[in-house]
Amino acid sequence: MGVLNVTPDSFSDGGRYRPLEAALAHAREMVAEGAAIVDVGGESTRPGAQPVSEQEELDRVVPVVERIRRDIDCAVSVDTLKPAVMRAACRAGAELINDVNALRAPGALEAAREAGAAVCLMHMRGEPRTMQRNPQYGDVVAEVGAFLQERRDAAEAAGISRDRIALDPGIGFGKTLEHNLSLLANLGRFAGLGCPLLIGVSRKSMFQHLLGLPVDRRLPAGLAAAAVAVWQGAAIVRAHDVKATVEAVGTAAAIAARHR
Ligand code: PT1
């Protein structure tokens, strides 16, 4: 899954392309590099990020989803927690709703069910603006597992069949370095929930905390973490650097397939 951010600051390339054309070119590049899914997001959810209005997010996301579906051969997911954006993006052709809030917003379960989309339900403690303020757990693996099970059950009860649900422990979403490492080390435990697992570690600050790396030097660390996740059964890896990620997780998957 390649990351396509459509936030105003993500395409400051000196005006060579208009934003829509730049987003399309980036999507095309990621698909050429091996991405099967392009994840379109109009609201940043990284720590400290400010919320975006519904209209603003619709204006950013819907035209991009439409054009990708028209011009590129790939699946599109929409990274949103807003029901109105889920509906509009799926009408424009998105087939997967990637919700870092696990469909907890009022009306989100109904919007996802009515859109007929597959969903990714992610664990987040708190909200992006404040989630990194002293996160605490008794047993992070058990608590995240219980949350994912509860959200999986809520989605099924709302009419979304289990074979259309992916689960994600939410690396970096209300977690310390220690929590993130524990979740990555024990990802295999969530396989028992009976849904494909999605993992996102690309360029995240856990590598700053682990190794002191700035954002532009986190690729090798992120590839190692993604490989470890795939070894434990992760089915979908969300990443910015698609070519390197496809090579790393392809190798990990080839080895994992021969495990006995
Ligand atoms: C993710 C994810 C996502 N991550 C899914 N969707 C982001 N399903 C957006 C940091 O610590 O892991 N899974 N959508 C990006 N979020 C973050 C979080 C970015 C933390 C950076 C950090 O630097």
Side-chain angles (χ1 to χ4, degrees):
M1 171 186 277
V3 179
L4 186 63
N5 291 318
V6 289
T7 48
D9 47 354
S10 50
F11 289 108
S12 47
D13 71 337
R16 262 196 318 136
Y17 291 108
R18 299 177 32 229
L20 182 57
E21 302 306 321
L24 221 70
H26 188 200
R28 215 176 254 117
E29 180 186 17
M30 292 195 291
V31 171
E33 290 176 347
I37 309 170
V38 172
D39 188 37
V40 181
E43 175 177 61
S44 175
T45 52
R46 73 179 48 142
Q50 298 286 335
V52 167
S53 79
E54 181 179 297
Q55 192 57 53
E56 178 66 31
E57 198 180 333
L58 285 166
D59 292 345
R60 291 176 183 179
V61 163
V62 174
V64 174
V65 172
E66 239 161 42
R67 280 291 302 275
I68 295 174
R69 290 293 293 159
R70 198 187 80 187
D71 295 352
I72 306 175
D73 184 22
C74 64
V76 174
S77 72
V78 58
D79 188 341
T80 188
L81 36 78
K82 296 191 184 72
V85 178
M86 295 173 188
R87 289 181 197 277
C90 291
R91 227 179 294 124
E95 294 165 286
L96 171 65
I97 293 166
N98 175 27
D99 184 0
V100 301
N101 203 32
L103 302 178
R104 285 179 294 169
L109 283 166
E110 295 73 21
R113 206 244 324 139
E114 285 165 25
V119 298
C120 177
L121 308 175
M122 196 197 79
H123 176 272
M124 169 168 64
R125 169 70 62 86
E127 49 166 352
R129 201 172 50 81
T130 54
M131 65 191 177
Q132 290 306 108
R133 291 184 194 161
N134 193 28
Q136 294 189 33
Y137 299 83
D139 177 339
V140 69
V141 177
E143 288 173 41
V144 169
F147 174 90
L148 294 176
Q149 180 166 349
E150 187 272 321
R151 295 316 299 161
R152 179 204 67 190
D153 292 347
E156 277 195 288
I160 302 167
S161 65
R162 190 176 291 197
D163 63 359
R164 304 184 64 70
I165 301 172
L167 301 173
D168 181 341
I171 299 300
F173 286 86
K175 285 131 191 148
T176 63
L177 170 62
E178 196 57 42
H179 298 142
N180 291 323
L181 292 171
S182 292
L183 288 166
L184 283 164
N186 298 287
L187 194 69
R189 296 227 214 140
F190 303 136
L193 294 170
C195 296
L197 301 176
L198 190 155
I199 196 85
V201 293
S202 184
R203 301 183 184 176
K204 286 188 179 174
S205 60
M206 64 170 286
F207 305 117
Q208 164 74 46
H209 296 117
L210 182 66
L211 300 164
L213 298 168
V215 66
D216 61 334
R217 285 203 252 150
R218 294 177 189 164
L219 179 57
L223 297 177
V228 164
V230 167
W231 172 257
Q232 294 173 87
I236 306 173
V237 174
R238 183 181 181 278
H240 300 84
D241 303 282
V242 171
K243 186 164 188 284
T245 301
V246 165
E247 292 173 1
V249 305
T251 303
I255 297 168
R258 291 159 178 80
H259 182 66
R260 49 191 166 91

